[in-house]
């Protein structure tokens, strides 16, 4: 008998008499009887369950209610319309202020009432004699009645110069650059074919650099001028200007320095004079579109094999419907449940993360992403981007089905009130989908070592993905949280988008790679910081590291001989300083958070492990001026006691005042508190060095450019919890000749189309609503 045919018949006869231990053939995730099931391609509309809704982002109605309430307070003096001056009071940001952890847990785990919903509001007070930035708590929602200042740790106020940029300020800067570049019209027209002053088609644009100065109180920015074509980040023209815009009155702004093609000048007029006199080393730039625009995505070139790329490749499908459930902002999948939000200030934030009812973490959230550069131009050497200061969570533009996320994903809109008159709708800013990992979660082929086998068993690999993106000007970050059926959570970020490039000079090769005729790809280090508020089987946890050491012992079964073998070296970390693991030292391979009062069946403390996937390195020497604003970057991992006053490791204001940061992470561990049997927060740093190269044109590709960490159970369960998954397959031979095989399955054969035949659609708008 044909063995392959017998195997196929066994698989086809899934529900036949040869299959044992098989449950009813109802597909997991079947819509039958589920009132919250939603068909493919449509977002669920079920009402939010009370428990998760305390973490839900503010609705458009709540955002407008906060705005209108604050505008109605005459003592705040908020301007309804923005004028051609920064000397006015402006509402900049409104977002949810999550409840305190204590209040949330009393509600989630007990009978206490739900905490009142409150908002965080940021106001720029530019109309005062001493301008400043103040944050307020506004509530209760949905009908706010009161507000009070929200103070940073230590009660420090935020200087006006530390504020993030607004579109109003960018418009005023654009006008200032129009005036500043007017004397350079001939230089720019003759040598680049583009200009800034009075242009219509061949226009220049700019990228601005931060921090904006060298000391507190300064607000002077280097601007890189670029040709405004697709991918303008790769088209610098060799001109950079330093503009002081610290005064609220733009009429007092002034250019302080000019750099052109390796030379410094005191003003645009001086540079123009050298050009008119013929004493300037001029950079003649070719037509950017000859022979093609190298910064575009339009296909060019070919693959030598000739295999087809003009047809669709493999797709994700859900042959029997979704296997996850979404109730408002509550996400459930297998053993997992969690609440999520997308905050405007810093991005994705998870709360009340549980597996089979056990809370693993109270919060997992993105805190900050930085990119620190080196270069030969003044803008390059000043570039130290701290992306939370650019509203990293507010630039969550639309995700494209089939490219950014599989077509079968659930897409969710979000609303931001960030530097706008009212809430803006960002379509499809989040997506959720189940991903076949392409590798079994586990498997084994049990060979008989005689050409046959005793059994084969495998469990298909899947993960649920929660994804969003942040496009912070040139760079695109893809933020993922993956939930695996064995109790593992992965947080991961992919870096893509355009590199931050400057004008090529011979000295630039020390700081990167020449990637086009006049373009230098500047070296930089990406670091990303996460907050992981672990509640491993409760809020009383301890932290220890574990690695191996070697022992040299007498051989007990061979007198006179010795054995060298590894043993587990456990090191309890009893204080915050002991638990701050520096970035420039080797990281212990096991980082364990345990509940001393909870043990599994085998007597081990129930624990979860943080496992880094990172190539992070230092970006500045410790204690250097700007390094104070990213003090968290000193550590692979730091562990602190939970404090409501230490809610975030960074802030909107550290970018433009890193010298006296509003949040200094080092203060979190300075008091060196005891962390044994306490409510602990882990602060995780991951990152990588990026030396740009020719293959970063037109864009940085994602393969190899992802970092993150895993939360992995370590003696938390009595066995792998994924044994509850019914996706396993077991094959057993039924006779010595392997002519009959028993195939045991708990899932039916795939049924239905793989991908719904809906056309591609996209809408990139984010209009006010």
């Amino acid at each position: 008998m044909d063995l392959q045919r017998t195997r196929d018949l066994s698989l086809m006869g899934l529900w036949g008499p040869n299959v044992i231990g098989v449950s009813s053939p109802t597909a997991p995730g079947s819509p039958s009887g589920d009132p919250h099931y939603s068909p493919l391609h449509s977002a669920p509309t079920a009402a939010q369950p009370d428990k998760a809704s305390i973490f839900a982002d503010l609705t458009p109605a709540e955002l407008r209610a906060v705005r209108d309430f604050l505008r109605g307070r005459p003592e705040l003096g908020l301007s309804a319309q923005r004028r051609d001056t920064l000397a006015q009071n402006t509402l900049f940001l409104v977002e949810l202020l999550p409840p305190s952890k204590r209040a949330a847990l009393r509600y989630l785990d007990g009978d206490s009432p739900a905490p009142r919903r409150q908002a965080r509001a940021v106001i720029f007070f530019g109309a005062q004699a001493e301008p400043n930035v103040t944050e307020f708590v506004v509530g209760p929602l949905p009908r706010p009645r009161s507000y009070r200042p929200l103070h940073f740790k230590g009660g420090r106020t935020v200087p006006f110069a530390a504020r993030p940029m607004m579109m109003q300020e960018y418009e005023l800067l654009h006008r200032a650059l129009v005036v500043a570049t007017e004397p350079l019209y001939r230089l720019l027209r003759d040598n680049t074919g583009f200009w800034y002053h009075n242009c219509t088609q061949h226009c220049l644009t700019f990228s601005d650099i931060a921090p904006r100065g060298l000391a507190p109180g300064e607000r002077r920015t280097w601007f890189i001028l670029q040709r405004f074509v697709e991918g303008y980040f790769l088209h610098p023209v060799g001109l950079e200007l330093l503009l002081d815009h610290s005064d609220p009155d733009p009429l007092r702004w002034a250019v302080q320095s000019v750099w052109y093609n390796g030379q410094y000048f005191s003003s645009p007029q001086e540079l123009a004079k050298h050009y008119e006199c013929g004493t300037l080393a001029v950079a003649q730039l070719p037509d950017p579109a000859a022979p093609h625009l190298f910064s575009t995505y339009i296909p060019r070139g070919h693959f030598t094999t000739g295999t087809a790329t003009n047809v669709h490749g493999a797709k994700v499908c859900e042959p029997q419907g979704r296997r996850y459930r979404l109730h408002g902002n509550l996400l459930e999948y297998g053993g997992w449940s969690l609440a999520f939000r997308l905050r405007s200030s810093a991005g994705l934030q998870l709360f009340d993360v549980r597996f089979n009812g056990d809370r693993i973490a109270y919060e997992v959230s993105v805190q900050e992403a930085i990119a620190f550069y080196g270069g030969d131009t003044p803008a390059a050497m000043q570039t130290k981007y701290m992306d939370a200061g650019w509203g990293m969570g507010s630039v969550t533009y639309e995700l494209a089905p089939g490219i950014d996320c599989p077509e079968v994903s659930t897409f969710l809109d979000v609303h931001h009130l960030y530097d706008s008159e009212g809430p803006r709708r960002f379509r499809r800013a989040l997506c959720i989908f189940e991903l076949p990992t392409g590798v079994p979660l586990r498997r084994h082929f049990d060979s008989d070592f005689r050409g046959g086998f005793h059994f084969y068993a495998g469990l298909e690999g899947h993960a649920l993905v929660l994804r969003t993106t942040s496009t912070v000007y040139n760079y695109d970050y893809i933020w993922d949280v993956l939930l695996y059926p064995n109790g593992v959570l992965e947080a991961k970020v992919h870096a893509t988008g355009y590199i931050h490039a400057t004008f090529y000079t011979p000295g630039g090769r020390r700081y990167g790679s020449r990637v086009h005729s006049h373009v230098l790809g500047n070296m930089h280090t990406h670091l990303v910081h996460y907050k992981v508020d672990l509640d491993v089987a409760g809020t009383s946890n301890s932290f220890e590291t574990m690695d191996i050491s070697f022992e040299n012992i007498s051989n007990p079964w061979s007198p006179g001989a010795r054995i060298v073998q590894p043993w587990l070296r456990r090191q309890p970390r009893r204080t915050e300083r002991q638990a701050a693991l520096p970035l420039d030292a080797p990281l212990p391979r096991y980082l364990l958070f345990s509940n001393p009062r909870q043990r599994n069946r085998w007597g081990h403390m129930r624990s979860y492990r943080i496992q880094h996937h990172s190539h992070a390195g230092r970006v500045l020497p410790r204690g250097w001026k700007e390094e104070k604003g990213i003090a968290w970057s000193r550590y692979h991992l730091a562990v602190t006691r939970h404090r409501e006053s230490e809610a975030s490791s960074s802030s909107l204001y550290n970018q433009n005042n890193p010298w006296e940061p509003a949040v200094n992470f080092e203060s979190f561990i300075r008091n060196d508190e005891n962390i044994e049997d306490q409510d602990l927060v882990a602060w995780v740093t991951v990152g990588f060095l990026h030396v740009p190269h020719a293959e970063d044109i037109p864009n940085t590709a994602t393969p190899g450019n992802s970092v993150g960490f895993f939360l992995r159970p370590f003696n938390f369960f009595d066995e792998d919890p994924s044994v509850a998954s019914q996706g396993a397959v077991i094959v057993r031979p039924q006779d010595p000749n392997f002519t009959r095989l028993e195939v045991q399955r708990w899932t039916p054969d795939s049924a239905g189309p793989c991908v719904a035949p809906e056309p591609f659609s996209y809408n990139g708008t984010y209009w006010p609503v």
Side-chain angles (χ1 to χ4, degrees), residues 23 56 101 150 163 184 245 254 336 380 601 656 663 741:
S23 62
K101 182 176 182 180
L150 179 63
R163 72 193 184 278
L184 304 175
H245 53 111
W336 288 102
R601 183 179 179 184
N656 292 326
V663 176
L741 301 176

Side-chain angles (χ1 to χ4, degrees), residues 293-319:
L293 185 60
F294 68 91
S295 56
T296 182
Y297 269 60
I298 295 175
R300 51 193 178 270
H302 66 279
F303 295 121
T304 58
T305 65
T307 55
T309 62
N310 60 347
V311 296
H312 284 290
K315 295 287 187 179
V316 174
C317 66
E318 296 172 331

Side-chain angles (χ1 to χ4, degrees), residues 118-390:
Q118 299 182 113
R120 171 198 182 197
V122 176
I123 297 179
F124 296 170
F125 286 100
Q128 301 181 165
E130 294 184 7
N132 70 80
V133 179
T134 304
E135 297 196 357
F136 294 97
V137 181
V138 183
L141 299 177
R143 290 176 289 278
R145 299 188 300 271
S146 64
Y147 71 97
R148 58 179 173 82
L150 179 63
H151 296 293
F152 286 91
K153 189 176 182 181
R156 299 178 60 185
T157 58
V158 179
F160 195 59
R163 72 193 184 278
M165 294 287 288
M166 294 190 302
M167 289 307 299
Q168 176 196 22
E169 189 168 3
Y170 276 124
E171 176 59 32
L172 295 172
L173 285 167
H174 165 71
R175 298 179 194 177
L177 289 173
V178 167
V179 174
T181 58
E182 185 174 357
L184 304 175
Y185 167 72
R186 284 192 57 198
L187 166 64
L188 295 170
R189 182 200 62 187
D190 295 348
N191 297 285
T192 74
F194 288 64
W195 55 93
Y196 206 101
H197 169 72
N198 197 28
C199 74
T200 54
Q201 292 184 336
H202 293 77
C203 294
L204 294 176
T205 186
F206 65 82
S207 289
D208 55 319
I209 305 306
R212 304 176 192 280
L214 301 173
E218 293 189 359
R219 200 167 177 88
R220 50 190 184 128
T221 300
W222 277 102
F223 293 89
I224 303 173
L225 267 66
Q226 300 143 326
R227 294 194 277 199
F228 190 50
V229 295
E230 280 190 18
Y232 65 86
F233 306 103
L234 300 181
H235 294 271
V237 297
L239 178 63
E240 300 179 359
L241 297 95
L242 178 63
L243 181 64
D244 187 335
H245 53 111
S246 55
D247 197 290
D249 184 356
L251 295 178
R252 297 192 177 98
W253 294 354
V255 174
Q256 293 187 330
S257 184
V258 177
W259 180 93
Y260 177 75
N261 195 24
Q263 297 177 272
Y264 286 89
F265 303 90
S266 61
S267 66
Q269 289 78 8
E270 183 189 4
L271 172 58
K273 182 178 179 181
H274 278 271
Y275 180 66
E276 297 297 337
C277 294
T279 58
L280 182 68
V282 175
Q284 183 74 46
L285 272 61
D287 182 346
H292 54 253
L293 185 60
F294 68 91
S295 56
T296 182
Y297 269 60
I298 295 175
R300 51 193 178 270
H302 66 279
F303 295 121
T304 58
T305 65
T307 55
T309 62
N310 60 347
V311 296
H312 284 290
K315 295 287 187 179
V316 174
C317 66
E318 296 172 331
Q320 292 162 315
R322 294 188 178 128
R323 304 199 306 172
Y324 60 91
R325 189 161 49 224
L326 190 62
H327 301 272
N329 68 317
L330 174 67
L331 181 60
E332 297 175 316
Y333 173 70
W336 288 102
S337 69
L338 59 86
F340 64 91
R341 65 178 291 231
L342 188 58
R343 55 193 169 151
S344 304
S345 51
L348 198 59
Q349 191 172 30
L350 312 182
F351 286 103
D352 197 23
V353 180
R354 303 182 187 224
F355 193 92
N356 283 348
D358 284 318
R359 185 176 296 113
I360 307 302
Y362 175 75
E363 178 186 351
V364 179
S365 59
V366 179
Q367 297 292 300
E368 181 64 276
I370 68 171
F372 277 36
Y373 288 74
D376 195 43
T377 77
M381 62 184 69
Q382 179 67 5
T383 303
K384 299 173 180 65
Y385 288 140
M386 306 175 197
D387 290 335
W390 302 74

